[in-house]
Amino acid sequence: MSDSETAEKVFKALKQAEHAAPQDALPMLNALAGLIQGSGEQPLEVEDARAGAFLAICEVGKALHRGQPADGLYATAIDATERWLRLAR
């Protein structure tokens, strides 16, 4: 799967998780971790965007795990993933 396809898949799953109940969203987000791992074969700015998306998604997951609100964190994660998607194309 290309980096662009991976970013698109992560973006769609993130949007789906945003609208799911927290107990359903957390497993969805945990499943993304394997997809987001980089190979180091992309330009540095793409790898940086991927890492930013990963960290932002982890913050959402931590908030959900702790039972904290994640609305603002979802927005940050979606923005970071969109940036990765733009650069990966």
Side-chain angles (χ1 to χ4, degrees):
M1 182 178 324
S2 74
D3 211 52
S4 176
E5 292 169 327
T6 301
E8 182 68 36
K9 186 172 184 173
V10 169
F11 178 77
K12 288 178 181 178
L14 187 56
K15 292 295 281 183
Q16 184 178 10
E18 180 183 28
H19 298 290
Q23 68 271 15
D24 297 329
L26 190 55
M28 295 167 133
L29 296 177
N30 287 338
L32 295 179
L35 284 175
I36 300 175
Q37 292 178 354
S39 61
E41 298 174 6
Q42 297 296 320
L44 184 57
E45 65 183 1
V46 175
E47 292 295 331
D48 183 56
R50 179 201 319 260
F54 177 75
L55 292 174
I57 291 169
C58 287
E59 289 300 316
V60 175
K62 286 193 300 189
L64 293 176
H65 181 72
R66 295 175 180 155
Q68 299 171 335
D71 295 341
L73 296 173
Y74 269 114
T76 301
I78 289 168
D79 287 347
T81 304
E82 286 177 322
R83 178 176 179 262
W84 173 32
L85 183 56
R86 280 191 312 271
L87 292 171
R89 287 189 175 152

